[in-house]
Amino acid sequence: MTDAHERRSRLVVLAGPTAVGKGTVAAEVRRSHPEVWISVSATTRKPRPGEENGVHYWFVSDEEFDRMIAEGDLLEWAVVHQAARYGTPRQPVDLALASGRPAMLEIDLQGARQVRETMPDALFVFLKPPSWEELVRRLVGRGTESAEERERRLVTAREELAAETEFDVTIVNHEVHAAAEQLVALMTHSPTDL
Ligand SMILES: Nc1ncnc2c1ncn2[C@@H]1O[C@H](COP(=O)(O)OP(=O)(O)OP(=O)(O)O)[C@@H](O)[C@H]1O
Ligand SMILES: Nc1nc2c(ncn2[C@@H]2O[C@H](COP(=O)(O)O)[C@@H](O)[C@H]2O)c(=O)[nH]1
């Protein structure tokens, strides 16, 4: 493996449609590979039951999010599902990469495109559902959105699925542990080895 490839693999950007399982797979990586650093995003969305500030997200006000943008604190940010703003705090990413830890961002397509511009050496991974029907089942089964919000998310999901070819690698999330292991392997192996 070349030095260039090692640099390329250390930051993984994970994206994919709503409810494909990005958060679940990221939680599995956190559980089984504590050596991997995972970014905690800031969002203006309200917490879901069980979500903790600083663990799942930094839940911030619109004013605080405006301040973070103005002060250049965010590596990327976007309005997602036409509903709330989400962004990646820049400094923790820089610190994780400087410390040599493998690092991962779990963000939407718009954010991934921004990171592609500023950090083209990152590895862009698309998490894909086994089928559209299974994606809808997971979204409904999660039970965290209203029917109206689910519809909005599925509109974005169609656009995100169409962007798969922009990514370096696709992982199909059939099973959570297997998907997490494939993701971690990408941080240490060439995609062509898998
Ligand atoms: N491999 C899998 N098999 C079956 N169910 C899964 C799998 N992965 C995730 N799920 C379930 O699918 C639902 C959506 O998962 P999750 O919330 O992680 O998706 P997400 O991609 O982070 O969604 P969003 O982009 O909307 O935040 C959850 O109920 C989760 O338990
Ligand atoms: N561009 C960014 N997108 C992000 C970030 N953190 C999360 N996300 C994406 O938002 C949607 C919705 O998440 P949810 O928790 O409300 O279901 C999902 O696609 C996430 O990947 C971020 O920092 N930047």
Side-chain angles (χ1 to χ4, degrees), residues 67-156:
R67 190 201 59 73
M68 293 171 95
I69 295 170
E71 296 188 2
D73 290 350
L74 298 177
L75 177 63
E76 59 73 37
W77 70 272
V79 177
V80 182
H81 305 309
Q82 305 162 45
R85 290 185 289 176
Y86 298 77
T88 304
R90 183 192 302 278
Q91 195 188 32
V93 177
D94 290 343
L95 289 174
L97 291 176
S99 75
R101 284 178 79 179
M104 187 171 108
L105 313 182
E106 187 244 295
I107 61 179
D108 89 317
L109 175 63
Q110 305 168 79
R113 285 173 173 160
Q114 292 172 45
V115 179
R116 167 85 79 193
E117 292 300 310
T118 54
M119 303 179 92
D121 287 347
L123 186 71
F124 293 82
V125 180
F126 189 77
L127 195 64
K128 190 177 171 178
S131 66
W132 176 258
E133 291 70 27
E134 174 62 12
L135 185 73
V136 175
R137 239 190 321 273
R138 287 180 190 177
L139 179 60
V140 173
R142 185 170 68 187
T144 47
E145 283 80 25
S146 64
E148 191 188 341
E149 172 63 14
R150 284 201 301 267
E151 277 313 307
R152 229 186 354 242
R153 284 179 177 244
L154 289 173
V155 170
T156 318

Side-chain angles (χ1 to χ4, degrees), residues 16-25 45 48 57 81 106 127 134 138-139 141-142 145 153 173-176:
T18 188
V20 65
K22 301 180 297 296
T24 306
V25 169
R45 157 165 95 57
R48 294 177 184 141
Y57 283 105
H81 305 309
E106 187 244 295
L127 195 64
E134 174 62 12
R138 287 180 190 177
L139 179 60
R142 185 170 68 187
E145 283 80 25
R153 284 179 177 244
N173 181 18
H174 292 287
E175 195 278 318
V176 174

Side-chain angles (χ1 to χ4, degrees), residues 3 13 30 40 51 81 92 106 113 131 154-155 168 194:
D3 287 350
V13 177
R30 191 179 287 115
V40 178
E51 284 185 331
H81 305 309
E106 187 244 295
R113 285 173 173 160
S131 66
L154 289 173
V155 170
D168 300 312
L194 298 171

